[in-house]
Amino acid sequence: MVIGIDLVHAAVWRFDIQRKSGAGRAADFSEVSVVADLGELAVDLLGGTVAALENGFEGDALKDLGLVLVPAPGVDGAVFTPGECEALDRYVQEGGAVLILGDGEWPQPPQGPAPFGFASGDLAIGDPADPAQPHVRPYQFPAEVTGAHPALEGVTRAYLYRPKPVSARFPLTGLVEKDGQIFLGVARHGAGRVAVVGNAEMFARPFLGREDNARLLLNLLSWLLDGRHQRSAADLAAEVTGSYRFSGRDFSPTENLKNEPGPHVVDAGVYAHLFTGLADGFLRDSETDEEAFLREAELRFHEMPRVVRQAVSRFRQHGTDSGVLLVKGLPVDPALPPTPADPKARVRFASPLSELWLAAFAQALGEPIGYRQEKNGLLFQNVVPTPHNAAKLSSESSSILLDYHTETAFHPFMPDYVLLHCLRPDHDGAAKTISASLRMALPRLSLRERAILSEPLYRTGIDYSFGSSHGTKGNGPLLRVLYGDPFDPYLTVDPDLMMGIVPEADAALKRLHAVLHEVRRWVCLDTGDLLIVDNRRAVHGRSEFTPRYDGRDRWLQRVCVVRDLVPSAGHRRLRGRIIDTAFAV
């Protein structure tokens, strides 16, 4: 069985095919295309091979194909010719099968003829999902599925994402409908079969694990292929949602961030003389005139070497696969005082280099903020070991692993970035700052786990430092672990304090923790290193180490950053930067 994929007319569903040699899959597809994933499923699970249709449909292009996948064209795609439409029509009438895959963009003006008269309408919307916002209607929602078509066997609900109604020049049997509109329809045409979907994103990786989408897709392919494969759709759907892994990018097995080249590391040490010069000149006191200090720091960021500014700008806009940015070798106060025994104490420096760098990079990323309950609301926080918190879930611990976590995962105004600037490493150089990126971990989750983690089935706990003296699990808000753009989601996770409210959710959370461990990266921060953690795309933690409490222990300074101060305005007094949210613990 050969499945042809149209590479000529696609506008949104573009993808690259890189030929593989040897046995196994016929092709390696990019990670972002529904069409590519369907081709991969056809090869791996249906026992087929893929043929790239790089020159349209005329001539013998469709000969011997069992199924043709046709991404619907848009404004940027090549226009179908009348001859190509006729060739597809003849192919189906003679017994072939075609699946037309629409996309979720707003309707575009017609660009010439379309196969079988395919057309799609305006985006459909669901009923209000949030009682607090009854005027907001979602573009993604579940829909009940009824009917006796073979493609609906075992299917009761479908999950729709930016659905669009579809039509063709012949009547369609609706498989997925709402309010009289058909979002997925099929028809027999001559001796062959046609299926059209208004937006194929319902069959993309973020949604295949939701509701019965995987079963619906495999049923649909089975119907189109008229049973020309050996396994049942039910077995295939269970495999797709539970154990199947799509191909994706390979990441380096290197765990040490400093040893892994890439955009996540920039070396400021080679510009040491320029950074030292930036620290010259008058600076307002960061304690008595905080806002003036921050404004000046922002201006001095723009005087930094272009390569550093470019790395920060790219990180802010696109992130990195590792979820962090490491700036190595910033100058540190040569007369560094002893490591403070009390992390809540305000330290006075002969030269405020560390606070200048933290403020400059923070202002480049957003707005620095503090929390009233965290170290007395200090903006520039000292992260140092203390003997009384050595074994507690706290940044002051040392004898226990501070496990992966989203910083203040429970907080309604949690930081977008966490900046960790090393003034002094631990005596033995053993303390590892560990991070793990969702972008690296996501392909290792099953589609069902990904779907469950995207539902509001989790409660996190309030941190010890915010008043939860016993570190109680689940005494915080109900939330989703994965949220935002379903194709490149954010995460909120704290395995020590978070729990699923149903067993399947708890199992998915444990699995996420395991795969985060598999893709971990670490760095032993040295004097002058600044690690910027994207708090919504990566988790971070710290290994055990042995402090001596001699004034020379490990000393980091930390600043939390939000992209926007507006959401927390009602929780900050007199336009200050300290968020004062109270919690019931």
Side-chain angles (χ1 to χ4, degrees), residues 216-371:
L216 176 59
L217 172 63
L218 272 301
N219 281 351
L220 180 65
L221 292 176
S222 179
W223 178 80
L224 285 166
L225 293 167
D226 199 16
R228 282 172 284 172
H229 57 86
Q230 303 302 311
R231 300 174 60 190
S232 74
D235 290 342
L236 290 172
E239 182 174 342
V240 168
T241 57
S243 60
Y244 186 77
R245 297 291 183 271
F246 287 99
S247 61
R249 290 177 299 161
D250 291 328
F251 295 102
S252 165
T254 302
E255 294 182 13
N256 190 332
L257 283 167
K258 288 188 176 181
N259 293 343
E260 185 177 23
H264 63 279
V265 179
V266 61
D267 191 354
V270 298
Y271 308 102
H273 63 293
L274 296 177
F275 279 94
T276 301
L278 286 176
D280 292 338
F282 177 73
L283 273 173
R284 296 283 186 181
D285 184 83
S286 61
E287 184 176 9
T288 60
D289 203 347
E290 186 176 87
E291 287 302 314
F293 177 82
L294 292 174
R295 296 285 79 80
E296 182 60 31
E298 181 178 9
L299 294 174
R300 297 196 189 188
F301 174 82
H302 295 296
E303 299 174 23
M304 290 183 184
R306 179 184 178 88
V307 66
V308 175
R309 289 182 285 117
Q310 191 173 44
V312 174
S313 175
R314 184 171 55 236
F315 183 66
R316 184 184 69 248
Q317 294 297 324
H318 306 294
T320 60
D321 287 336
S322 59
V324 301
L325 176 64
L326 176 63
V327 184
K328 299 192 300 182
L330 291 166
V332 173
D333 184 354
L336 195 64
T339 299
D342 180 4
K344 297 179 182 179
R346 181 71 189 230
V347 179
R348 305 298 299 182
F349 295 91
S351 175
L353 290 179
S354 62
E355 294 183 354
L356 174 61
W357 307 141
L358 284 167
F361 283 93
Q363 291 287 152
L365 293 165
E367 298 286 350
I369 50 95
Y371 298 96

Side-chain angles (χ1 to χ4, degrees), residues 90-141:
R90 186 168 56 252
Y91 161 76
V92 172
Q93 292 213 44
E94 293 174 355
V98 169
L99 172 55
I100 298 180
L101 304 159
D103 67 74
E105 293 299 311
W106 290 97
Q108 301 289 351
Q111 299 291 308
F116 314 108
F118 169 84
S120 62
D122 292 334
L123 290 169
I125 50 181
D127 298 323
D130 185 353
Q133 295 183 305
H135 58 294
V136 176
R137 300 180 66 186
Y139 283 120
Q140 58 187 80
F141 50 89

Side-chain angles (χ1 to χ4, degrees), residues 359-535:
F361 283 93
Q363 291 287 152
L365 293 165
E367 298 286 350
I369 50 95
Y371 298 96
R372 181 67 61 196
Q373 299 94 328
E374 189 101 79
K375 298 179 174 40
N376 293 333
L378 286 177
L379 196 65
F380 302 100
Q381 301 170 2
N382 297 303
V383 178
V384 298
T386 60
H388 54 282
N389 282 329
K392 292 180 180 178
L393 291 175
S394 164
S395 61
E396 299 169 26
S397 66
S398 55
S399 63
I400 62 168
L401 171 71
L402 188 59
D403 210 346
Y404 304 123
H405 62 282
T406 300
E407 191 74 22
T408 61
F410 59 91
H411 208 292
F413 312 114
M414 72 180 194
D416 295 298
Y417 302 99
V418 178
L419 279 59
L420 300 169
H421 183 40
C422 182
L423 304 186
R424 182 175 285 136
D426 62 297
H427 289 280
D428 304 315
K432 295 178 179 178
T433 301
I434 314 167
S435 64
S437 160
L438 180 60
R439 284 181 181 169
M440 291 183 175
L442 201 58
R444 300 181 181 225
L445 294 172
S446 74
L447 297 181
R448 182 59 184 164
E449 289 162 345
R450 181 170 178 168
I452 290 296
L453 290 164
S454 302
E455 296 292 338
L457 297 172
Y458 300 88
R459 286 195 183 278
T460 189
I462 309 300
D463 278 356
Y464 169 78
S465 56
F466 282 75
S468 183
S469 58
H470 302 292
T472 305
K473 272 194 173 188
N475 64 343
L478 188 69
L479 46 75
R480 292 173 169 85
V481 171
L482 304 183
Y483 64 99
D485 180 355
F487 291 91
D488 187 18
Y490 300 120
L491 89 162
T492 301
V493 66
D494 189 340
D496 288 322
L497 294 174
M498 184 179 284
M499 59 186 292
I501 61 174
V502 296
E504 189 179 14
D506 216 41
L509 184 63
K510 289 181 172 64
R511 174 62 183 159
L512 174 61
H513 187 246
V515 298
L516 287 170
H517 182 73
E518 291 170 7
V519 300
R520 68 188 180 276
R521 297 291 192 268
W522 57 265
V523 59
C524 290
L525 294 173
D526 204 351
T527 300
D529 288 346
L530 170 66
L531 184 68
I532 305 174
V533 180
D534 187 336
N535 196 46

